[in-house]
Amino acid sequence: MSTATVSTLQGARLPKWAPYAIAAGSVAVAVGIGLGAGLDSEVQWGLIAAILFLVGTFGIAARVEGRRQAKDRIATSLVWVSFLIAVIPLVSLVWVTVARGLKVLDIYFLTHSMGVVADTEVGGGIYHAILGSLEQVGLATIIAAPIGVLTAIYLVEYGRGNLSRAITFFVDVMTGIPSIVAGLFILSLMLMFEMQPFGFAGSLALAILMMPVVVRSTEEMLKLVPNELREASLALGVPKWRTILKVVLPTSIGGITTGVMLAVARIAGETAPVLLLVFGNPFINNNPFEGAQASLPLYIYQQYANSAGSGAAYDRAWAASLTLIAFVMILNLVARGIARWKAPKTGR
């Protein structure tokens, strides 16, 4: 069959560069409309360009390739436009944070506390906040990770009946509770026992927020383990608890670790519970079980709220935000590395 015959059977097709040309034309027309109408916001220009791109793609594709192929192209274009709408604010946020955070982010800033430096003065650092965040998040992980993993093991391997359904229901409810509710719960206990703010109280609230995330992620990872592995182990006379310990958990340990790391990243930026329970401290406090402590999210909030228009406080808030983003990014990279390292080996 000749090339001409194949081309005839397939019908007319737009060239590969057509979407890029339509996108460029849409942007140019949107800029012209924005300037002509006196629109100052680039967001408005972008929305106009997106609408023109979708309309132009459908019109040109319907004329050249037919309405059926045009519908396929419009669906693909919607996916790309939605992706750009989602990623542009993220890139903008990261860009602004990096640009403003690098002004004061250096070794001195990372290794000194605020101490006697007022919020409106130049100087100071976030060492006390980094230390507080590491201790509070670390203690929350020590509490929540084992409980969450064991709960997921029960739900997947043993859970049957009303108890299992009740646990699943409450885990779903806890997944959606606001962070301030967890903080108020721990605060009510502190008021009952007349306790002063301290770091471990914040860890308890963070653990409450972390637990349902660990349960859900671990549960899904355990469900992915093939039942054939369990059946093979049980057929050899291995007890169920040992099958879980030696077969199920090693097979899913990569995904479980990733879920725990993502849960840690989720609680690392919580401010409300820490504001209620830890209270903040400009000085270094190494003991999370006594006295108020600082944390990175709380430090950012306090620097912004108490700045009184001071450029130094704003710069410290942006630098602390950049440090927190870097911390979460490192956690995600570590989780991905562990997941790839512990993934079951495939092949012969």
Side-chain angles (χ1 to χ4, degrees), residues 25 30 52 74 79 90 94 137 186 188 212 238 244 254 263 319:
L52 291 175
I74 197 68
V79 172
L90 176 62
V94 173
V137 172
I186 302 298
S188 64
V238 180
I244 296 171

Side-chain angles (χ1 to χ4, degrees), residues 293-328:
Q293 265 193 326
S295 72
L296 280 173
L298 182 57
Y299 177 89
I300 296 168
Y301 168 76
Q302 290 176 335
Q303 288 298 305
Y304 181 81
N306 302 330
S307 61
S310 170
Y314 283 137
D315 291 340
R316 285 194 294 266
W318 281 107
S321 301
L322 180 58
T323 305
L324 184 59
I325 291 176
F327 175 68
V328 174

Side-chain angles (χ1 to χ4, degrees), residues 148-210:
V149 171
L150 291 175
T151 302
I153 291 174
Y154 169 77
L155 292 175
V156 175
E157 303 294 338
Y158 297 98
R160 300 292 185 273
N162 295 330
L163 179 60
S164 175
R165 286 191 290 271
I167 293 174
T168 302
F169 172 76
F170 282 111
V171 168
D172 292 338
V173 171
M174 288 177 63
T175 303
I177 64 171
S179 59
I180 190 67
V181 175
L184 288 173
F185 172 70
I186 302 298
L187 179 62
S188 64
L189 297 179
M190 292 174 59
L191 294 176
M192 288 173 57
F193 294 99
E194 298 182 353
M195 302 173 69
Q196 297 298 319
F198 62 112
F200 185 65
S203 299
L204 293 176
L206 296 178
I208 293 174
L209 299 173
M210 183 178 177

Side-chain angles (χ1 to χ4, degrees), residues 80-93:
W80 277 104
V81 169
S82 300
F83 167 75
L84 290 175
I85 291 176
V87 79
I88 286 176
L90 176 62
V91 173
S92 175
L93 173 64

Side-chain angles (χ1 to χ4, degrees), residues 224-226 229 250-255 338-347:
L224 293 177
V225 177
L229 294 178
T251 304
S252 57
I253 190 64
I338 293 175
R340 180 172 297 183
W341 174 43
K342 291 293 185 179
K345 301 298 185 290
T346 57

Side-chain angles (χ1 to χ4, degrees), residues 229-254:
L229 294 178
R230 298 180 176 89
E231 293 168 356
S233 178
L234 295 173
L236 294 174
V238 180
K240 188 169 185 177
W241 69 269
R242 195 169 182 84
T243 298
I244 296 171
L245 188 63
K246 296 295 185 180
V247 176
V248 178
L249 287 179
T251 304
S252 57
I253 190 64

Side-chain angles (χ1 to χ4, degrees), residues 38-214:
L39 301 177
D40 298 328
S41 174
E42 288 80 1
V43 176
Q44 295 174 320
W45 295 8
L47 292 176
I48 294 173
I51 295 171
L52 291 175
F53 174 71
L54 294 174
V55 173
T57 299
F58 182 80
I60 295 174
R63 184 175 182 83
V64 176
E65 300 177 332
R67 294 182 64 86
R68 183 175 182 180
Q69 188 64 26
K71 292 178 181 179
D72 179 74
R73 285 190 176 273
I74 197 68
T76 304
S77 300
L78 279 172
V79 172
W80 277 104
V81 169
S82 300
F83 167 75
L84 290 175
I85 291 176
V87 79
I88 286 176
L90 176 62
V91 173
S92 175
L93 173 64
V94 173
W95 175 262
V96 172
T97 305
V98 171
R100 300 197 62 171
L102 288 177
K103 290 182 179 179
V104 297
L105 185 60
D106 52 21
I107 298 298
Y108 179 88
F109 183 73
L110 295 174
T111 56
H112 287 74
S113 67
M114 290 301 293
V116 294
V117 179
D119 290 334
T120 56
E121 296 178 354
V122 178
I126 58 170
Y127 176 77
H128 61 304
I130 295 176
L131 185 64
S133 285
L134 291 176
E135 291 181 347
Q136 293 159 28
V137 172
L139 289 171
T141 305
I142 292 173
I143 297 170
I147 296 176
V149 171
L150 291 175
T151 302
I153 291 174
Y154 169 77
L155 292 175
V156 175
E157 303 294 338
Y158 297 98
R160 300 292 185 273
N162 295 330
L163 179 60
S164 175
R165 286 191 290 271
I167 293 174
T168 302
F169 172 76
F170 282 111
V171 168
D172 292 338
V173 171
M174 288 177 63
T175 303
I177 64 171
S179 59
I180 190 67
V181 175
L184 288 173
F185 172 70
I186 302 298
L187 179 62
S188 64
L189 297 179
M190 292 174 59
L191 294 176
M192 288 173 57
F193 294 99
E194 298 182 353
M195 302 173 69
Q196 297 298 319
F198 62 112
F200 185 65
S203 299
L204 293 176
L206 296 178
I208 293 174
L209 299 173
M210 183 178 177
M211 249 182 279
V213 180
V214 176

